[in-house]
Amino acid sequence: MTSRKRSGSGSSKRPKEKVVYIYELFFRGEDPSQERRPEYSEFWNEFFLLQPNVEALEGEITKLTSEQFALVKPNLNMIFQKCIEMLDTDHPKRLCNSLQTLCSMFYGIFKKSTADTSYDILNDIFGYEHMDKWMKQLMDHCNRILLGDVPENARFMCLKLLLVLVTGTDNVSQNVLLEYLMMNTLFDAFVKLLSDPTLRAQHGHDIVILLTILVNYRKHEATNPYIVQLSILADELALNGYGQMISQSLIDFCRQYMQSLNNAQSSSWFSSLSNIVGNMFVSDEGCERVQQIKANNGLLLALYEAVHLNRNFITTLSHTQTESSAPPSPSNTLSLTQPVPDLANAPIIDMTQYPTNLLVAVFQYCSIVMQDNKNESSVANLKLCFLILTCISEDQYANSMMHDSNLTFKVMLHRAQMRHRKLNVDRVGKSQPLAATLLDLLVEFIVSHLMKKFPMELYLLCVGVIHRVLCYQKRCRVRLNYPWKELWSALIGLLRFLVNQEQTLVKKCNIFHLSLQVVNIFNLFITYGDTFLATTNSYDELYYELNREEKVFTELHAMVLRYTTMPDCEYKDDVIKLLNALVNILAIVKHFQNKIKEWLAEQGLSTPTEEQILDVVRKNYDLTLKLQDSLDHYDRYAEAPHHTTFFKTMVRDVVADTRKQIYGYVKDAVSTIPEPDAMLTSTSSNS
């Protein structure tokens, strides 16, 4: 409770709060609760009626020296113990104040231990002999508060306390207090809160962030119960609630971006989309847009964990995300032999403005993020998007849903304005299966990131997703009605860039591995295209494109031959594989180049039309190709060891950002319960 300046006083000095004065006594080593006066028999009951001062309590803890810590350790333990005991109260004001006091204590202790790494939180501050008992009691009380009939501000503060605990150290796996959350799991409480629409709306964001951080505790070192429980969770209401929290965040981001575009287009400051994007995506970590992208890292990481760990979660991807909606209708009992659900009566959903389901939101979000490639935060965020798409593209149900011709969407994919092309507005508004939208997104990335600071890892992930989608189409004989020429042109353009920039890129990365992945996609079309291309004309167009761009493949072959003769080439294995992979493409080019020359000589022509070349192609399929193995094989995604460092860094950033946000909430949280009349009697006439 704050003290107020006396009426009529001319002094502007603010009197010290009662609770601050009591903190000072405790941290001087005194124990005001043991005063021999009748009014102190109810000290703790009255103490927890006072509004905590978070900054003051944190300050008292952080300024303690090693010698002072030893002196006040009994008092610190006593306050901690009394806070936990008070969690059993039915008094809403005392309950909230004890939770807020615990938040302040843990925050201050973590801050102190970070500044001075010599402190052992369990031993030096609390002591091993008490901590097991106290933390078990704390987790039991948290479980009761989360699920019980308590004021919402108590549940709110309880979740903030848990967030303070899990974000105590930058490296979540070094947070020793998380062992108690592993031994006394709160997973079932989180699931029940996510399943309740009202409670989810109030607390869902905190719960999803908590689960995400807890899942990453010693992820590859020991058994983590949160990983196990999340991977087998089959509660459709909870999974749908989990997905809703993520989709709401991404949809809000897309909506803000659209509003920014609309505002910019109506302003005289901007004359073109390129100017808009240039002003919105400045290579500055402090830029508002970059901060907005970073703010989504936590929920984007939550989406990754869900699609990576839980196959049942895939059913929520295409479900319209509204608070009043029912859970996804498809059964969560999935198998590779499961038939595609009957979606014949599914409506065509207009998505030209804002997405309303999770997968559409992810696609639109990716199209926005990929326009900014000048800072590490956006690149890391985009890599996480591609890893999510990789997991989705490996899933049988996700593919069946994305390829279903009866489930179509209009998706607003944002495209970067570039000098050498005009935006095709018609394609933006086309209603199509989500697999076609995914390919549009990947093609857009390929054509818009050919730059000197070449993002090799992102290209490998992008091409990998394309390969997985095509493997599904070949395996299930799905004929997607898609303008494949755009994909082929984008991939050939990528090969051309790699050949032209060979001298620069080969010093930095393995361009032969990426070239091999691209060439094998063409080989997949050549060898198995009859199983998934929608029309026979598609084959003709493929061979036409290979011949039209024969110079690219010829130069690529010449480059590869050069490196086969270099004894010190560190990428020799991939060079040899690429040389063998080019055999069929070169045979096709040579065969049809000869046929075209013969036809031109017969017709006395020098410049044939596209239709004339296509006619020559249709009449001359009499060539023998080499059968290549494993074109439809890929190594299934595995997080470790390739991406372990990336995720440690990502989790560290999420932890640090969450810690900053939580401190603001805890510091400013004031109970909505009216201030009681009871006050602690002054222990000093000067207080």
Side-chain angles (χ1 to χ4, degrees):
M1 180 176 293
T2 59
S3 299
R4 294 178 174 82
K5 185 174 65 175
R6 289 187 181 91
S7 176
S9 171
S11 173
S12 61
K13 184 178 180 180
R14 185 183 179 88
K16 186 180 295 183
E17 294 177 74
K18 182 74 66 179
V19 72
V20 174
Y21 176 76
I22 295 173
Y23 293 159
E24 292 174 350
L25 291 178
F26 276 121
F27 284 91
R28 287 205 302 259
E30 302 177 28
D31 183 1
S33 69
Q34 295 301 314
E35 293 282 346
R36 299 295 182 182
R37 283 191 275 175
E39 59 266 26
Y40 281 85
S41 60
E42 291 293 315
F43 177 87
W44 291 107
N45 282 336
E46 295 183 348
F47 175 77
F48 285 111
L49 289 177
L50 294 174
Q51 181 65 45
N53 187 312
V54 174
E55 290 179 307
L57 182 53
E58 175 210 332
E60 291 292 340
I61 293 174
T62 55
K63 71 183 182 182
L64 290 173
T65 64
S66 299
E67 295 76 15
Q68 290 171 330
F69 247 119
L71 175 66
V72 304
K73 180 177 177 180
N75 283 352
L76 202 60
N77 282 348
M78 179 171 58
I79 298 172
F80 184 66
Q81 182 181 3
K82 294 299 181 180
C83 284
I84 294 176
E85 291 175 0
M86 193 56 65
L87 296 182
D88 200 29
T89 184
D90 292 329
H91 194 288
K93 178 68 175 175
R94 292 187 179 114
L95 176 60
C96 291
N97 286 347
S98 59
L99 286 167
Q100 193 174 5
T101 302
L102 282 171
C103 287
S104 308
M105 290 182 67
F106 277 119
Y107 190 89
I109 289 168
F110 278 123
K111 187 175 180 179
K112 182 70 176 177
S113 62
T114 300
D116 187 347
T117 55
S118 63
Y119 283 106
D120 181 336
I121 292 178
L122 290 183
N123 190 34
D124 296 341
I125 300 177
F126 293 114
Y128 291 112
E129 65 275 14
H130 305 299
M131 215 45 188
D132 286 350
K133 175 184 175 182
W134 288 347
M135 288 301 294
K136 185 180 186 309
Q137 290 177 350
L138 178 59
M139 292 302 106
D140 288 343
H141 285 309
C142 286
N143 191 69
R144 180 188 63 82
I145 292 169
L146 293 178
L147 297 178
D149 184 15
V150 298
E152 283 310 308
N153 55 345
R155 207 176 338 259
F156 171 89
M157 192 55 65
C158 180
L159 288 168
K160 294 298 181 282
L161 171 60
L162 293 172
L163 284 168
V164 170
L165 285 174
V166 301
T167 60
T169 59
D170 286 345
N171 185 339
V172 67
S173 296
Q174 293 178 353
N175 188 343
V176 293
L177 293 185
L178 289 196
E179 279 298 326
Y180 296 105
L181 275 83
M182 297 297 130
M183 293 185 291
N184 305 279
T185 175
L186 298 172
F187 186 85
D188 289 341
F190 295 157
V191 167
K192 289 183 179 179
L193 291 176
L194 286 174
S195 301
D196 185 289
T198 302
L199 295 176
R200 178 175 64 242
Q202 295 173 313
H203 309 296
H205 183 277
D206 287 351
I207 294 167
V208 171
I209 295 296
L210 274 169
L211 281 171
T212 303
I213 296 174
L214 288 168
V215 161
N216 282 278
Y217 174 71
R218 302 185 65 187
K219 196 173 192 180
H220 303 293
E221 304 169 22
T223 301
N224 181 323
Y226 291 91
I227 293 178
V228 175
Q229 290 171 301
L230 181 59
S231 65
I232 62 175
L233 179 64
D235 186 324
E236 291 185 358
L237 283 170
L239 290 172
N240 188 46
Y242 187 103
Q244 280 186 10
M245 301 318 302
I246 300 167
S247 64
Q248 285 173 10
S249 177
L250 299 185
I251 289 170
D252 285 344
F253 178 88
C254 294
R255 182 179 292 112
Q256 290 171 12
Y257 179 81
M258 287 290 294
Q259 290 172 348
S260 298
L261 284 182
N262 293 335
N263 292 338
Q265 287 172 341
S266 62
S267 171
S268 60
W269 291 93
F270 302 99
S271 59
S272 67
L273 185 59
S274 61
N275 286 334
I276 297 168
V277 174
N279 281 274
M280 294 184 67
F281 292 108
V282 181
S283 180
D284 179 2
E285 288 294 330
C287 174
E288 179 183 357
R289 183 65 60 188
V290 175
Q291 294 304 317
Q292 289 175 344
I293 291 174
K294 285 187 67 176
N296 286 308
N297 282 349
L299 291 178
L300 206 61
L301 189 59
L303 174 58
Y304 164 80
E305 297 296 354
V307 298
H308 178 223
L309 295 173
N310 191 311
R311 292 197 65 221
N312 298 322
F313 182 77
I314 298 296
T315 62
T316 71
L317 291 177
S318 64
H319 180 62
T320 301
Q321 301 291 325
T322 60
E323 281 299 331
S324 60
S325 61
S329 57
S331 170
N332 57 29
T333 306
L334 303 174
S335 68
L336 292 177
T337 58
Q338 179 178 338
V340 178
D342 182 13
L343 299 172
N345 296 320
I348 295 178
I349 304 172
D350 187 350
M351 292 295 173
T352 55
Q353 288 301 311
Y354 306 126
T356 59
N357 82 29
L358 183 49
L359 196 52
V360 171
V362 170
F363 290 168
Q364 187 169 335
Y365 177 83
C366 290
S367 73
I368 297 172
V369 174
M370 70 170 54
Q371 294 182 56
D372 180 25
N373 48 55
K374 296 180 181 179
N375 66 80
E376 293 182 2
S377 297
S378 296
V379 171
N381 191 277
L382 183 55
K383 176 180 176 179
L384 185 54
C385 289
F386 275 132
L387 292 176
I388 291 169
L389 295 178
T390 299
C391 295
I392 291 173
S393 64
E394 289 185 358
D395 186 87
Q396 179 80 3
Y397 176 83
N399 270 305
S400 67
M401 178 266 295
M402 289 193 297
H403 285 85
D404 194 302
S405 59
N406 295 307
L407 188 63
T408 60
F409 297 83
K410 290 182 179 181
V411 183
M412 175 67 77
L413 292 184
H414 299 277
R415 291 170 165 83
Q417 182 76 27
M418 295 186 292
R419 294 178 182 177
H420 64 276
R421 71 167 182 181
K422 293 182 179 179
L423 292 182
N424 189 340
V425 179
D426 293 338
R427 286 296 309 281
V428 173
K430 183 179 179 181
S431 182
Q432 59 186 5
L434 287 175
T437 303
L438 174 58
L439 290 171
D440 284 344
L441 178 70
L442 300 172
V443 167
E444 173 62 20
F445 175 80
I446 292 173
V447 301
S448 62
H449 288 74
L450 301 174
M451 51 195 178
K452 289 184 178 179
K453 192 177 179 181
F454 187 70
M456 171 62 79
E457 186 176 26
L458 297 182
Y459 267 97
L460 286 171
L461 291 171
C462 175
V463 173
V465 175
I466 294 173
H467 185 220
R468 285 163 171 76
V469 171
L470 294 176
C471 287
Y472 169 81
Q473 294 176 10
K474 179 261 177 185
R475 183 174 65 250
C476 298
R477 295 181 175 270
V478 175
R479 300 183 186 276
L480 180 68
N481 186 16
Y482 186 76
W484 294 109
K485 183 178 178 180
E486 294 186 12
L487 174 62
W488 300 329
S489 296
L491 293 174
I492 292 172
L494 173 57
L495 290 177
R496 181 187 298 109
F497 178 84
L498 295 176
V499 171
N500 292 339
Q501 300 296 323
E502 167 222 340
Q503 294 297 324
T504 302
L505 294 177
V506 78
K507 300 173 184 177
K508 303 175 183 178
C509 53
N510 185 354
I511 61 174
F512 305 101
H513 180 56
L514 177 57
S515 300
L516 175 63
Q517 300 296 95
V518 173
V519 169
N520 276 340
I521 287 178
F522 280 106
N523 284 328
L524 190 62
F525 276 102
I526 293 168
T527 308
Y528 300 111
D530 60 317
T531 64
F532 61 87
L533 289 175
T535 65
T536 55
N537 288 339
S538 296
Y539 245 126
D540 304 333
E541 292 173 355
L542 170 62
Y543 281 34
Y544 173 83
E545 285 298 311
L546 294 177
N547 278 275
R548 189 174 69 88
E549 299 286 2
E550 59 88 16
K551 183 180 178 182
V552 174
F553 296 101
T554 302
E555 291 179 347
L556 178 63
H557 182 245
M559 182 187 78
V560 173
L561 284 177
R562 267 194 296 112
Y563 280 91
T564 60
T565 63
M566 296 181 183
D568 57 343
C569 177
E570 60 179 310
Y571 307 123
K572 185 61 73 73
D573 288 345
D574 285 320
V575 169
I576 299 300
K577 291 178 182 177
L578 179 55
L579 184 64
N580 293 330
L582 283 167
V583 169
N584 281 346
I585 294 178
L586 295 174
I588 291 170
V589 169
K590 182 179 179 180
H591 172 78
F592 284 103
Q593 287 293 311
N594 290 333
K595 295 296 182 181
I596 292 169
K597 288 178 182 178
E598 292 175 4
W599 184 84
L600 289 174
E602 291 175 1
Q603 300 297 320
L605 298 174
S606 59
T607 308
T609 64
E610 178 178 337
E611 188 55 42
Q612 288 172 330
I613 298 296
L614 284 170
D615 190 56
V616 173
V617 169
R618 293 187 190 100
K619 296 176 180 178
N620 291 280
Y621 275 109
D622 53 332
L623 75 162
T624 302
L625 299 175
K626 179 182 178 181
L627 183 62
Q628 295 179 322
D629 298 326
S630 302
L631 293 175
D632 59 344
H633 171 77
Y634 56 84
D635 294 329
R636 291 192 65 84
Y637 171 76
E639 181 179 312
H642 306 294
H643 305 289
T644 303
T645 302
F646 167 76
F647 280 106
K648 284 183 178 179
T649 303
M650 183 65 72
V651 173
R652 183 185 295 267
D653 289 344
V654 170
V655 165
D657 290 343
T658 303
R659 185 193 304 127
K660 293 177 185 177
Q661 296 171 3
I662 295 308
Y663 181 69
Y665 282 121
V666 172
K667 183 177 68 173
D668 298 333
V670 177
S671 173
T672 56
I673 306 301
E675 290 283 350
D677 294 332
M679 291 181 60
L680 281 175
T681 305
S682 172
T683 56
S684 169
S685 60
N686 296 326
S687 65

